[in-house]
Amino acid sequence: MDFYFDNAATTPISKRALEEYASTCANYQANPSSIHREGLKAHEYLEENRDRIAKVLKVEKENIVFTSGATEAIAIVMENLLWQKTPGRIITTRIEHEAVLSFIPLLKEKGWDIVQLKTKGGFADPSDLKEALNEETRLVAIMSVNNVTGAVQDIRTLVETVREYEKNLKRKIFFFSDSVQALGKTGLDLKGWDVDGASFSAHKITGPRGIGMLYLKNRQLIRPLAPAGGQESGLRGGTENLAAISAFRAALEETYENRLEKEERVRGLNNLIRNAFSDSGSFHINSPENASPYILSIATPLPAEVFTRMLIDKGFCVSSGSACSNNARKKAGGVLEAMGVPGKLSMNSIRISFSDSTEKEETLLLIKAMKEIANG
Ligand code: PLP
């Protein structure tokens, strides 16, 4: 395989997750909703996995709803707004993932007032949030770690700002944080942040594709997108993908083993690239200094597509955008411009993203390849 630096788009599945997937397929063949012994066995295993995931995330198992991925988890929260009797205000940012942003036209059409906070330097400012809150506000949606730059938002302070406002309002404002790029990284703290909802995806942490989850502090606040057969306590109908759920759990447990050491090692790799290009006139680091070490956005001397293709020719996988959408370049440019990166630099920016198994040798080879391309 080529040298893989596109882990924010997806990670290769780990051996442990793959083995868990295969053994669950082989050993749990019944529908968890069936009342026969095999069904009960599958149901028990489903709940055991939920329990173990909850323990890793330090939340209750009742807080966890399995979905087909983060996009679906986000859709459950956004579409829930359409049930409200009167539309109100939604406060979000311009740097959210497309899974959130794509709802804006529909919600506007339905009469919702959308405020997108500025994100100078990559960050939503709590005082801007305070100013934007009004009596009609129903939802605040701010991601915890940006998928293009790795910028980490101060979710705790942002939530506190909302909770303070709620005291006079005497009504809850739902605080949702898309936390896909925070999962398996230090700093994720659902209870400490006091968010009402958060979305996650297994394939960003060496689990399988097509499985994710929605964290909900209070399930009663959300109406289901598809109640169907009442699975997931009526919040997400459809037969549970037990093999994917158990592989997700295996990947999560593996990822959280020696978490701090792993993250420090990745920070070292990220710094190798930062240091190699920080004094260079032809490259510019876009990611904030205190960004997640797993994601690095860097402006190159050439248009991003050209630079990415030249790296591909040399055997490296990086991304010229967020790669989570078919129109990745345009979307990444939007995020960079929203943080204040000038147009040309943003058009020349690539994303390098690491995993816990990225090696130092391949990082040094990537630096060498980037310098060769820049020097023509
Ligand atoms: N949110 C963020 C921040 C992401 O990086 C992604 C990745 O694609 C998603 C949401 C969507 O996740 P999924 O592929 O599980 O639908």
Side-chain angles (χ1 to χ4, degrees), residues 69-71 74 97 143 147 178 180-181 201 203-204 324:
T71 300
I74 292 165
H97 188 270
M143 72 194 328
N147 51 300
D178 175 11
V180 166
Q181 302 290 351
S201 182
H203 72 96
K204 312 285 184 178
C324 311

Side-chain angles (χ1 to χ4, degrees), residues 1-67:
M1 187 173 168
D2 284 351
F3 298 116
Y4 192 73
F5 287 89
D6 200 15
N7 292 283
T10 198
T11 50
I13 191 166
S14 76
K15 187 164 171 279
R16 199 153 131 188
L18 196 54
E19 281 172 4
E20 175 62 40
Y21 189 94
S23 85
T24 305
C25 284
N27 297 324
Y28 297 90
Q29 298 189 346
N31 189 318
S33 298
S34 296
I35 58 159
H36 45 67
R37 265 194 301 278
E38 288 300 316
L40 290 177
K41 189 175 112 184
H43 180 75
E44 270 170 28
Y45 197 48
L46 171 67
E47 293 313 309
E48 179 189 324
N49 280 291
R50 195 191 309 278
D51 202 30
R52 287 169 70 173
I53 288 177
K55 282 205 172 71
V56 175
L57 299 182
K58 300 190 173 68
V59 298
E60 311 307 319
K61 72 195 275 276
E62 291 70 27
N63 299 134
I64 287 171
V65 180
F66 291 115
T67 63

Side-chain angles (χ1 to χ4, degrees), residues 31 33 43 46-47 50 65 219 224 226-240:
N31 189 318
S33 298
H43 180 75
L46 171 67
E47 293 313 309
R50 195 191 309 278
V65 180
R219 286 169 172 247
Q231 290 90 343
E232 295 300 294
S233 314
L235 258 169
R236 198 272 183 175
T239 305
E240 301 88 343

Side-chain angles (χ1 to χ4, degrees), residues 192-210:
W193 290 348
D194 191 27
V195 289
D196 297 299
S199 47
F200 300 100
S201 182
H203 72 96
K204 312 285 184 178
I205 59 151
T206 74
R209 319 254 157 85

Side-chain angles (χ1 to χ4, degrees), residues 48-116:
E48 179 189 324
N49 280 291
R50 195 191 309 278
D51 202 30
R52 287 169 70 173
I53 288 177
K55 282 205 172 71
V56 175
L57 299 182
K58 300 190 173 68
V59 298
E60 311 307 319
K61 72 195 275 276
E62 291 70 27
N63 299 134
I64 287 171
V65 180
F66 291 115
T67 63
S68 63
T71 300
E72 189 191 15
I74 292 165
I76 292 174
V77 173
M78 301 306 279
E79 298 223 354
N80 180 62
L81 296 168
L82 300 174
W83 289 103
Q84 311 236 351
K85 285 197 190 77
T86 47
R89 172 171 283 194
I90 299 164
I91 304 174
T92 184
T93 71
R94 279 171 60 198
I95 62 168
E96 298 304 305
H97 188 270
E98 226 13 52
V100 171
L101 294 180
S102 61
F103 277 96
I104 291 181
L106 169 69
L107 289 163
K108 273 190 179 160
E109 198 183 305
K110 296 287 173 195
W112 286 80
D113 163 31
I114 318 272
V115 177
Q116 287 182 272

